[in-house]
Amino acid sequence: MSKRNSHVSETPATQLLRAHKVEFTEHPYEYLEHGGTEHSAASLGLDEHMVVKTLVMQDQDARPLIVLMHGDCKVSTKNLARQIGAKSVEPCKPEVANRHSGYLVGGTSPFGTRRDMPVYIEESILALPRIAINGGRRGFLVQLDPQVCVRLLDARPVHCALAE
């Protein structure tokens, strides 16, 4: 049995990041039900704009997709649908999102999902030097270079942010 007290226990997300030799830092915090990115950012002393939420959505045919969005912004589903060639896009119900991703809502990471899904990233996120994104468990963010999302997830940039 190896001793690993230097970091939080592995998740499918951290396993994938380590397997691809991605540099990241781990940031556990006290999870708060419905606290969202505002709570996680405040707990960790981060700007909410650099905290990226992982949203599991679906198109008109119930095909799942992931949208990566700034913590302090909403997704314009109309703009997103137009850019990805869908008639409509809507958030999945929590139990459906859990089934697709393999993670609990509030702990969804785009890395190491149960099912392969197309990933879309708000383009302005890619201009940030570092982002904090869920590490695969409620109350656990990892900080990394946003370009990792493009390299590992083939995330496609889109313009669909709305200020909250």
Side-chain angles (χ1 to χ4, degrees):
M1 191 123 114
S2 69
K3 290 184 181 172
R4 291 191 166 201
N5 50 10
S6 61
H7 62 82
V8 179
S9 62
E10 293 285 338
T11 66
T14 57
Q15 288 174 344
L16 180 82
L17 293 171
R18 286 187 213 294
H20 287 274
K21 299 188 178 358
V22 172
E23 283 186 38
F24 65 94
T25 55
E26 299 177 329
H27 302 272
Y29 64 94
E30 191 70 38
Y31 178 75
L32 175 67
E33 191 79 32
H34 305 297
T37 54
E38 186 175 4
H39 170 72
S40 59
S43 297
L44 296 169
L46 301 172
D47 176 354
E48 191 182 5
H49 196 67
M50 69 154 314
V51 176
V52 174
K53 49 193 173 188
T54 303
L55 305 167
V56 182
M57 299 192 157
Q58 62 187 15
D59 69 10
Q60 69 281 349
D61 299 319
R63 284 188 299 248
L65 56 108
I66 289 177
V67 181
L68 303 179
M69 182 54 69
H70 295 285
D72 58 354
C73 295
K74 286 184 187 159
V75 174
S76 165
T77 53
K78 212 180 260 184
N79 287 350
L80 178 63
R82 194 175 310 121
Q83 290 176 63
I84 67 173
K87 285 187 189 130
S88 66
V89 173
E90 65 182 8
C92 288
K93 288 184 169 45
E95 61 277 7
V96 174
N98 294 347
R99 210 169 39 246
H100 289 317
S101 71
Y103 295 113
L104 289 175
V105 168
T108 304
S109 177
F111 304 105
T113 54
R114 176 178 292 154
R115 181 176 182 177
D116 271 345
M117 297 175 266
V119 178
Y120 300 94
I121 185 167
E122 172 55 40
E123 189 168 37
S124 54
I125 291 171
L126 297 172
L128 297 171
R130 283 182 76 72
I131 58 171
I133 194 162
N134 199 285
R137 178 179 297 114
R138 289 174 171 177
F140 178 52
L141 299 182
V142 293
Q143 277 195 42
L144 43 74
D145 179 333
Q147 297 301 324
V148 169
C149 300
V150 175
R151 282 198 317 273
L152 281 190
L153 305 172
D154 197 27
R156 290 180 290 206
V158 291
H159 290 284
C160 61
L162 293 173
E164 287 218 56

